[in-house]
């Protein structure tokens, strides 16, 4: 990008360029402060450093590729401001016509999904040639890719397995394992001498269909665990359970002299679950041995083959999100169980099939111990082991360990075993319609905050259904929601790698928002990348600010719905309400990291909270209860009461009961003082905070009926950083209250990189109240650092008025190689899709608008802005040959003050739309005649065309402060 614009620390009138991303970079100066730290913060905000810039999932398509295509992709990533990529070879994927039965409509105040026949008879094709992941030819291409990434200064990573580590090498004995059982009913008093059927009943319900691949795997491997006999009665004691394991011979024949009475004899064994991804099996996530062998068969071979130059860029490995089912056994499970729980598992195993052993409590406690052991093994032997091995090879370990499909493990503990916390968020799509199924970042963020992990990474803009149907502006609202949920680093899903450097849009993965070199707006995408980078940079500064820490216990989500996970996004309970933020902690953090010091609950990384809340839905362990009591004795305020327990068979039940009775024995009291602190219940969390004079951290008044303003707050040693975002497109004029006083508010715009003072504000009761205006889905950082220096009643948002309209004919040029006319005159601005010329109507790509105009009047004291009105979807503006950048976010407006003259102004606007119109037009042609080359033929003759081009009105505006 050519040319430079110097952005100064300027008053409101000179900074209103909403929607413009300044493409031209320079040092940002501050005439009011020589503080180098602040200058550095501003400079890095304007020009975000490498390490905060987005990554991309570089999705290979399991088909042969070449060095030219690899180099082309990587050079384009570098050119558009990405910091790196990770190779995920998942093929084209299966998301074809069965996912195209609904249309996604992103409107100004809603998102809706409409049943449609527009895509009927659309098709998705797979490549004919195959290149197996981890094969020698594949590794050769990955090594070259890593070498090229190093040449370009990009970071490089490799997936060690999709959807939770599925790999071609995995044989059934190293795949996920499950307990199965069979039973004999025996009348005692004689010798039992008979065959005992091999078990075939799983102890839990599985989610994967039992197709032939699954059945073949289940039949390929089996090992006995134990044969147990016990009296056929309601509640046998542990001493009545007899092991008959040595009574069964190698052929499955049982020989046992049974005592008198009726006996149940259970044969427990384990076999593969058969869980697979398209016929490729998942590894045994409970086994270190399985992970080590997986590493040896994948990354280990690759590392052994790489030379130092090829290793230069190779920084990390990643494990994808868990979609791997529900293992409940592994070869060394009995030893692992005893080491963690302190007793042998075998005689308690009948409880897994519904047998009550000893008592209801004993049975429940064993089942708790069993589930917690599975959770521990997943976090330690899979995620933890991945981190250990990666570090041994000087690599970082990434894993999408924060759900949403993982139900058996403590997600926060899994995240703690990673070098970055990672979740995911989705664009609106029929595959995940509800926000609670789309925004899945919060669990990763809260784990990062409580375990001291700086970066909260996410598989970003994931989608199933829409293809090439969104623009950066449509993506912005989703990103802002995720940022407010705690995200601070983006990974685009997805950048498809195709072997052709000429076919466009080319061979493409069937899921994800297509963010790659063949998208129509790819060449205009860097300002959008800059916006994401600025947000990431600011949200990695300092520490997250939260008032409340919820105790989340063991963190297991038994029976949860991955498509409606309310805790995946910011979702404060009614008792807390809006304006206060929070984290959640697990047992490990509570027991080993949380302390009470200086009237705060604190963590080793300096995170702090005002109150601890026991969520009434959370079962509480004995060790956790004792630690909570200790914190209260030291001065903590604990809100809530225990509704259920999470005890194991070595816990002292009476101690637990005595403690709970001591604290909550008289529920009517609503409060129990202990030591320097207290337990409080029968009051809302909000009441408790306000009673301690803790006001909301952020409030917003004056919203419209549809208005939603969200926020997140970070704090460094001397700076408060708030990110505030408007969800919908109507303009919101509101009063925002920040829990900061005696500091000058500043507005930092992540879309433009501009910073300026906010001078119209008041300070009351330890809070700063600022009149603010939010444009369509707009967002800002409000920064408090310096002492108050400028305060007045001048509006922070000046009003715009029209100076003149740019009317009449426009000269346009389209790319003839894509069916458009080389030159054409539009008498007036018109939506391309409504034009009678089919070359315009079905055009996709960039068209150049050109016009000359004179100013009706020109006042040198006026700030002038060119407002483009309605644009589909992005525009690059030049005035008198000066490139003023790409405008991608509403309102489409650029500052032209320094570049306009009285007469003979030349205005050039390059406008780019989306792919669907060309693909719809191609549906009328034979394959040979089609302009676009792609495997995704979703769009048909019946598909509705998308609005395209510059629709206007185009106006010159000026500003006037109130």
């Amino acid at each position: 990008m050519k040319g430079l614009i110097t952005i100064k620390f300027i008053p409101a009138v000179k900074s209103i360029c909403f929607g413009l991303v300044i493409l031209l970079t320079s040092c940002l100066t501050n005439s009011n402060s020589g503080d180098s730290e602040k200058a550095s913060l501003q400079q890095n905000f304007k020009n975000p450093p490498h390490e905060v810039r987005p990554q991309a999932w570089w999705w290979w398509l399991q088909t042969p590729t070449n060095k030219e295509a690899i180099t082309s992709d990587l050079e384009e990533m570098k050119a558009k401001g990405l910091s790196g990529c990770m190779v995920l070879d998942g093929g084209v994927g299966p998301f074809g016509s069965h996912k195209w039965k609904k249309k996604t409509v992103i409107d100004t105040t809603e998102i809706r999904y409409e049943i449609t026949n527009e895509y009927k008879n659309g098709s998705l094709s797979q490549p004919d040639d195959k290149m197996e992941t981890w094969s020698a030819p594949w590794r050769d291409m990955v090594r070259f890719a890593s070498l090229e990434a190093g040449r370009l200064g990009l970071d490089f990573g490799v997936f060690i397995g999709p959807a939770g580590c599925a790999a071609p090498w995995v044989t059934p004995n190293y795949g996920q394992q499950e307990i199965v059982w069979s039973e004999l009913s025996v009348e005692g008093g004689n010798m039992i001498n008979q065959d005992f059927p091999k078990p075939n009943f799983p102890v839990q319900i599985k989610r994967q269909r039992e197709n032939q691949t699954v059945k073949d795997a289940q039949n390929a491997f089996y090992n006995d665990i134990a044969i147990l006999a016990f009296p056929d009665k309601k509640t046998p004691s542990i001493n009545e359970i007899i092991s008959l394991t040595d009574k069964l011979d190698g052929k499955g024949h049982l020989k046992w002299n049974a005592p008198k009475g009726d006996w149940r004899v259970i044969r427990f064994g384990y076999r593969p679950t058969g869980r697979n991804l398209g016929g490729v099996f998942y590894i045994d996530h409970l086994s270190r041995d399985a992970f080590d062998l997986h590493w040896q068969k994948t990354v280990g071979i690759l590392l052994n083959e790489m030379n130092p130059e090829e290793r230069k860029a190779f920084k990390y490995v990643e494990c994808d999100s868990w979609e791997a089912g529900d293992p409940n056994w592994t070869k060394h499970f009995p030893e692992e169980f005893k080491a963690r729980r302190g007793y042998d598992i075998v005689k308690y195993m009948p409880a897994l099939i519904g047998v009550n052993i000893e008592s209801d409590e004993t049975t429940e406690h064993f089942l708790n111990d069993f589930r917690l052991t599975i959770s521990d093994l997943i976090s330690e032997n899979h995620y933890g082991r991945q981190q250990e091995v990666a570090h041994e090879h000087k690599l970082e370990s990434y894993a999408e360990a924060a759900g949403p499909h993982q139900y058996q493990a403590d997600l926060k503990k899994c995240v703690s075993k990673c070098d970055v916390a990672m979740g995911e968020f989705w664009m609106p799509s029929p595959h995940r319609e509800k926000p609670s199924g789309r925004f899945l970042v919060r669990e990763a963020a809260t784990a990062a905050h409580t375990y001291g992990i700086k970066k909260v990474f996410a598989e970003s803009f994931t989608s199933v259904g829409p293809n090439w149907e969104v623009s950066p502006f449509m993506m912005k609202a989703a990103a802002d929601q995720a940022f407010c949920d705690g995200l601070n680093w983006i990974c685009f899903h997805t950048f498809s790698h195709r072997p052709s450097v000429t076919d466009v849009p080319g061979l493409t993965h069937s899921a994800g928002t297509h963010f790659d070199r063949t998208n129509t707006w790819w060449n205009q995408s860097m300002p959008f990348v800059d916006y994401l980078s600025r947000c990431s940079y600011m949200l990695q500064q300092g520490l997250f600010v939260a008032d409340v820490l919820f105790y989340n216990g063991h963190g297991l989500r038994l029976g949860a719905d991955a498509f409606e996970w309310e805790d995946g996004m910011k979702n404060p309970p009614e008792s807390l309400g809006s304006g206060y933020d929070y984290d959640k902690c697990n047992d490990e953090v509570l027991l080993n990291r949380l302390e009470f010091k200086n009237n705060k609950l604190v963590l080793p990384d300096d995170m702090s909270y005002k109150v601890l809340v026991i969520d009434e839905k959370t079962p509480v362990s004995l060790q956790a209860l004792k630690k909570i009591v200790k914190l209260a004795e030291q001065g903590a305020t604990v809100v809530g009461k225990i509704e259920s327990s999470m005890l194991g068979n070595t816990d002292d039940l009476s101690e637990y009961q005595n403690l709970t009775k001591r604290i909550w024995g008289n529920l009517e009291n609503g409060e129990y003082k202990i030591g320097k602190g207290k337990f409080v219940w029968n009051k809302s969390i909000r009441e408790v905070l306000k009673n301690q004079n803790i006001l909301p951290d952020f409030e917003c008044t004056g919203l419209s009926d549809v208005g939603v303003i969200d926020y997140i707050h970070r704090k460094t040693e001397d700076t408060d950083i708030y990110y505030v975002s408007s969800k919908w497109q109507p303009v919101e004029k509101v009063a925002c209250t920040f829990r900061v006083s005696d500091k000058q508010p500043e507005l930092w715009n992540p879309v433009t990189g501009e910073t300026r003072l906010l001078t119209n504000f008041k300070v009351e009761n330890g809070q700063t109240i600022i009149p603010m205006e939010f444009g369509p889905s707009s967002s800002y950082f409000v920064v408090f650092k310096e002492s108050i220096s400028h305060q007045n009643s001048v509006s922070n948002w000046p009003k715009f008025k029209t100076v003149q309209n740019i009317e009449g004919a426009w000269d346009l040029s389209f790319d003839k190689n894509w069916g458009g006319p080389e030159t054409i005159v539009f008498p007036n601005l018109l939506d391309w899709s409504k034009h009678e010329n089919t070359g315009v109507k079905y055009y996709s790509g960039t068209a150049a608008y050109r016009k000359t105009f004179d100013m009706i009047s020109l006042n040198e004291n006026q700030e002038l802005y060119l407002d483009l009105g309605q644009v589909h979807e992005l525009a690059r503006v030049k005035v008198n040959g000066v490139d003023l950048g790409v405008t991608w976010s509403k309102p489409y407006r650029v500052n032209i003050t320094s570049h306009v003259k009285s007469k003979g102004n030349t205005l050039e606007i390059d406008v780019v739309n989306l792919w669907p119109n060309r693909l719809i037009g191609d549906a009328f042609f034979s394959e040979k005649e089609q302009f676009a080359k792609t495997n995704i033929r979703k769009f048909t003759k019946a598909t509705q065309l998308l609005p395209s081009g510059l629709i206007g009105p185009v106006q010159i505006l000026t500003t006037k402060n109130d």
Side-chain angles (χ1 to χ4, degrees):
M1 297 180 179
K2 299 178 180 178
L4 294 176
I5 291 181
T6 301
I7 306 300
K8 295 185 177 180
F9 202 65
I10 47 180
V13 170
K14 293 190 177 182
S15 64
I16 307 297
C17 286
F18 308 105
L20 166 66
V21 167
I22 303 290
L23 28 134
L24 332 171
T25 59
S26 72
C27 293
L28 187 152
T29 61
N30 178 1
S31 60
N32 296 323
S33 172
D35 185 278
S36 61
E37 182 183 346
K38 181 176 179 183
S40 175
L41 188 71
Q42 288 178 330
Q43 180 59 40
N44 287 335
F45 173 71
K46 174 61 186 173
N47 301 311
H50 170 88
E51 61 270 16
V52 303
R53 289 188 164 273
Q55 298 261 312
W57 274 8
W58 194 15
W59 198 291
W60 290 21
L61 300 171
Q62 294 182 348
T63 193
T65 188
N66 57 80
K67 293 181 177 181
E68 183 184 13
I70 287 171
T71 295
S72 179
D73 280 1
L74 292 171
E75 288 181 343
E76 285 298 324
M77 291 181 201
K78 179 67 175 181
K80 300 306 180 289
L82 274 63
S83 63
C85 62
M86 59 194 82
V87 172
L88 189 163
D89 199 342
V92 164
F95 305 113
S97 58
H98 64 294
K99 293 294 184 182
W100 300 339
K101 295 178 181 179
K102 287 185 178 181
K103 173 190 278 191
T104 303
V105 180
I106 302 175
D107 213 335
T108 57
T109 59
E110 67 171 346
I111 296 165
R112 60 183 184 274
Y113 304 92
E114 300 174 351
I115 296 174
T116 183
N117 289 319
E118 291 184 34
Y119 315 120
K120 189 176 181 181
N121 301 321
S123 64
L124 171 70
S125 61
Q126 306 285 338
D128 295 326
D129 297 328
K130 187 108 174 148
M131 182 171 70
E132 291 288 348
T133 308
W134 298 110
S135 65
W138 184 91
R139 297 194 306 271
D140 287 344
M141 290 295 101
V142 171
R143 289 168 55 198
F144 176 76
S146 184
L147 182 66
E148 283 290 86
R151 176 179 68 85
L152 294 165
L154 294 169
D155 297 333
F156 186 76
V158 175
F159 270 70
I160 63 171
C165 286
W169 74 266
V170 180
T171 53
N173 55 317
Y174 280 102
Q176 292 186 327
Q177 306 295 310
E178 66 179 356
I179 305 170
V180 288
W181 63 285
S182 58
E183 179 173 5
L184 290 177
S185 294
V186 171
E187 185 176 343
N190 52 62
M191 177 64 71
I192 307 301
N193 196 347
Q194 67 180 89
D195 290 335
F196 202 152
K198 189 168 76 172
N200 197 41
F201 298 110
V203 302
Q204 66 183 13
I205 298 172
K206 296 177 297 177
R207 293 182 177 84
Q208 180 156 328
R209 279 198 309 271
E210 299 257 331
N211 58 25
Q212 196 58 49
T213 300
V214 173
K215 292 177 181 177
D216 289 346
Q218 291 172 345
N219 292 327
F221 174 77
Y222 170 82
N223 266 345
D224 277 316
I225 299 171
I227 293 87
L228 302 174
F230 50 88
D232 189 359
K233 61 182 185 179
K234 183 178 179 181
T235 307
S237 71
I238 196 71
N239 293 327
E240 292 176 308
I241 298 175
I242 303 170
S243 174
L244 304 181
T245 306
D246 61 348
K247 308 297 183 185
L248 190 77
D249 65 22
K251 296 181 179 180
H253 190 85
L254 177 67
K255 192 172 183 179
W256 174 45
N257 189 8
K260 289 183 179 181
D262 294 329
W263 293 84
R264 293 181 67 184
V265 185
I266 311 295
R267 182 179 180 183
F268 287 104
Y270 67 98
R271 70 179 185 191
T273 65
R275 183 77 178 192
N276 66 88
L277 182 67
V280 178
F281 294 103
Y282 293 101
I283 67 171
D284 179 356
H285 296 84
L286 280 62
S287 167
R288 286 171 63 94
D289 293 342
F291 183 86
D292 286 350
L293 188 55
H294 177 62
W295 182 276
Q296 293 169 23
K297 297 280 189 178
T298 55
V299 183
I301 297 174
L302 181 65
L303 289 173
N304 287 337
E305 294 173 343
M306 296 178 93
N307 63 43
E309 282 302 303
E310 292 167 344
R311 276 295 310 264
K312 178 182 175 182
F314 192 9
K315 299 295 177 60
Y316 55 86
V317 292
E318 181 178 346
C319 178
D320 191 11
S321 62
W322 181 284
E323 298 173 25
D326 310 286
N328 58 21
W329 197 259
T330 190
K331 181 179 179 180
H332 300 296
F333 197 96
E335 296 89 341
E336 297 275 16
F337 183 93
K338 186 171 184 180
R340 287 166 169 76
R341 310 302 158 206
Y343 63 99
D344 291 324
I345 187 175
V346 171
K347 287 192 175 183
Y348 289 89
M349 289 187 69
L352 298 174
I353 61 170
V355 177
N356 217 33
I357 299 175
E358 292 283 357
S359 65
D360 292 344
E361 290 80 9
T362 298
T363 303
E364 178 190 345
H365 297 168
F366 163 72
L367 293 174
N368 290 340
D369 286 339
F370 178 71
R371 293 174 186 131
L372 290 176
T373 301
I374 294 172
S375 175
D376 288 349
L377 294 181
I378 291 172
S379 64
E380 295 169 21
N381 288 354
H382 183 62
Y383 296 107
R385 184 56 181 159
Q386 177 182 314
Q387 187 181 52
E388 289 173 4
V389 177
H391 287 184
E392 288 171 7
H393 292 87
K394 296 181 171 55
L395 295 169
E396 288 192 327
S397 177
Y398 294 8
E400 204 170 323
H405 295 277
Q406 172 57 266
Y407 308 94
Q408 294 178 285
D410 178 344
L411 299 181
K412 297 178 188 67
K413 189 173 181 181
C414 292
V415 171
S416 77
K417 308 297 183 183
C418 307
D419 293 314
V420 299
M422 189 171 182
E424 62 186 89
F425 72 91
W426 288 59
M427 286 295 292
S429 74
H431 187 71
R432 286 182 174 270
E433 295 187 3
K434 297 183 179 181
S436 57
R438 289 176 48 216
F439 293 100
L440 308 166
V441 171
R442 188 68 177 192
E443 188 76 3
T446 197
H449 303 155
T450 55
Y451 276 102
I453 300 171
K454 178 180 179 179
K455 287 188 174 182
V456 182
F457 200 37
E459 166 196 329
S460 304
F461 308 109
T462 307
S463 176
V464 169
N467 287 279
W468 302 291
E469 295 164 67
V470 298
S471 66
F473 175 70
M474 298 176 196
M475 298 165 71
K476 184 180 186 300
D480 287 341
Q481 165 95 48
F483 285 135
C484 289
D485 283 346
L487 173 72
N488 63 21
W489 196 23
I490 292 284
C491 180
F492 284 105
H493 181 355
T494 203
F495 190 118
S496 290
H497 172 64
R498 66 273 298 172
S500 172
V501 294
T502 57
D503 290 353
V504 288
L507 186 65
T508 300
H509 181 54
S510 58
T513 295
H514 306 313
F515 183 81
D516 56 52
R517 61 179 168 84
T518 68
N519 203 329
T520 53
W521 45 266
W522 175 253
N523 286 332
Q524 294 81 18
S525 64
M526 189 169 181
F528 177 57
V529 171
D530 286 343
Y531 143 76
L532 296 171
S533 304
R534 292 184 186 112
C535 292
S536 294
Y537 172 72
M538 295 296 282
L539 294 172
Q540 288 181 28
Q541 302 306 303
L543 295 170
F544 172 61
V545 175
D547 294 305
V548 178
L549 181 63
F550 288 90
Y551 167 66
N552 199 214
H554 52 71
L556 304 187
R557 300 170 51 240
L558 302 176
D561 186 345
F563 290 85
E564 289 188 42
W565 184 21
E566 293 184 350
D567 287 341
M569 59 191 297
K570 186 192 297 186
N571 182 37
E574 184 178 347
S575 174
L576 178 60
S578 62
Y580 295 100
D581 222 331
Y582 64 91
D583 272 327
K584 295 188 175 183
C585 76
N586 58 9
D587 264 358
E588 185 173 62
V589 168
L590 177 76
L591 297 175
N592 302 329
R593 291 176 57 80
L594 189 65
E595 297 181 17
F596 187 82
K597 293 180 179 178
N598 301 322
N599 293 317
K600 295 183 293 186
L601 293 153
V602 296
L603 293 169
D605 315 284
D606 292 331
M607 277 295 302
S608 65
Y609 310 90
K610 305 298 195 316
V611 300
L612 178 67
V613 176
I614 303 173
D615 190 323
E616 62 185 23
K617 296 177 292 185
T618 298
V620 180
S621 69
L622 174 59
Q623 293 303 313
L625 176 58
K626 290 164 70 174
K627 178 61 179 288
I628 292 169
V629 170
K630 179 181 177 182
L631 292 169
E633 289 174 337
Q634 293 172 338
T637 297
V638 181
V639 183
K641 55 183 182 291
I642 292 178
E643 299 285 344
S644 59
S645 64
M646 185 69 180
L647 301 179
N649 270 334
T650 58
D651 287 327
D652 187 332
L653 178 59
S654 62
E655 182 182 8
Y656 190 92
Q657 292 172 333
N658 289 337
L659 271 175
T660 55
K661 184 177 180 180
R662 173 186 167 193
I663 298 165
W664 294 282
N666 190 339
L667 289 177
E668 293 182 0
N669 285 348
E671 184 174 303
Y672 177 78
K673 293 184 177 179
I674 181 171
K676 298 178 181 179
K678 60 185 176 180
F679 288 83
V680 181
W681 60 97
N682 297 341
K683 286 184 180 178
S684 71
I685 308 167
R686 199 175 189 88
E687 282 182 274
V688 173
L689 289 167
K690 288 192 171 182
N691 288 342
Q692 295 185 7
N693 296 317
I694 301 168
L695 297 174
D697 191 27
F698 174 81
E699 292 180 290
C700 184
T701 58
L703 283 166
S704 69
D705 292 342
V706 297
V708 177
I709 304 290
D710 203 354
Y711 86 103
I712 190 168
H713 181 189
R714 306 279 299 191
K715 185 175 178 61
T716 69
E717 185 175 342
D718 61 356
T719 305
D720 286 272
I721 300 169
Y722 287 83
Y723 189 57
V724 286
S725 166
S726 180
K727 180 175 182 179
W728 301 115
Q729 294 188 38
V731 172
E732 298 288 344
K733 296 182 178 181
V734 296
C736 293
T737 302
F738 304 86
R739 196 174 61 199
V740 179
S741 62
D742 302 324
K743 287 187 177 182
Q744 179 76 48
E746 302 171 21
L747 192 80
W748 294 27
N749 189 336
V751 172
T752 65
E754 292 178 310
T755 67
R756 63 182 174 89
L757 299 180
L758 292 170
T759 59
N760 186 351
F761 64 93
K762 58 184 178 180
V763 178
E764 292 180 355
N765 196 27
Q767 299 171 302
T768 302
I769 305 166
I770 308 172
M772 296 187 69
E773 183 174 314
F774 292 84
S777 300
S778 64
S779 56
Y780 307 104
F781 287 96
V782 180
V783 177
F784 299 86
K785 181 177 177 66
E786 305 294 343
S787 299
I788 295 173
S789 59
H790 294 79
Q791 187 174 11
N792 55 43
S793 60
V794 176
S795 173
N796 294 318
W797 271 263
K799 293 181 178 179
F800 287 93
K801 65 178 182 179
T802 302
V803 173
Q804 71 183 73
N805 295 317
I806 307 296
E807 297 175 325
W810 293 75
D811 295 322
L812 274 74
S813 60
F814 292 79
D815 188 340
K816 67 177 183 179
N817 294 323
W818 287 96
E822 278 193 271
T823 61
I824 190 172
V825 175
F826 277 23
N828 295 291
L829 293 175
L830 179 69
D831 178 348
W832 300 348
S833 69
K834 300 184 184 305
H835 203 282
E836 60 183 15
N837 185 321
T838 57
V840 175
K841 184 175 185 176
Y842 296 115
Y843 185 82
S844 290
T846 301
Y849 291 71
R850 183 181 175 89
K851 187 177 184 61
T852 59
F853 70 94
D854 297 332
M855 291 295 298
I856 295 174
S857 64
L858 186 61
N859 184 336
E860 64 180 16
N861 295 320
Q862 283 184 320
E863 288 290 314
L864 297 176
Y865 298 85
L866 182 71
D867 189 298
L868 303 184
Q870 189 176 349
V871 176
H872 294 283
E873 297 299 328
L874 298 84
R876 180 184 292 277
V877 178
K878 292 183 181 179
V879 174
N880 295 323
V882 179
D883 190 341
L884 300 182
V886 173
T887 174
W888 61 270
S889 179
K890 295 181 181 180
Y892 298 96
R893 189 178 293 159
V894 297
N895 190 322
I896 61 171
T897 305
S898 301
H899 313 290
V900 72
K901 54 190 179 181
S902 297
K903 302 288 184 180
N905 293 286
T906 301
L907 176 59
E908 299 169 272
I909 307 172
D910 293 341
V911 179
V912 60
N913 69 337
L914 305 177
W915 267 121
N917 289 2
R918 179 66 274 158
L919 296 170
I920 294 166
D922 278 3
F924 293 90
F925 298 144
S926 68
E927 184 175 346
K928 287 186 177 180
E929 295 174 312
Q930 291 173 348
F931 292 89
K933 306 297 181 186
T934 182
N935 60 312
I936 299 178
R937 290 291 177 180
K938 170 183 176 178
F939 305 99
T940 70
K941 297 175 184 178
T943 306
Q944 183 177 344
L945 291 167
L946 298 181
S948 296
L950 175 61
I951 300 174
V954 178
Q955 299 175 312
I956 295 177
L957 310 178
T958 190
T959 57
K960 180 180 179 181
N961 285 73
D962 291 337

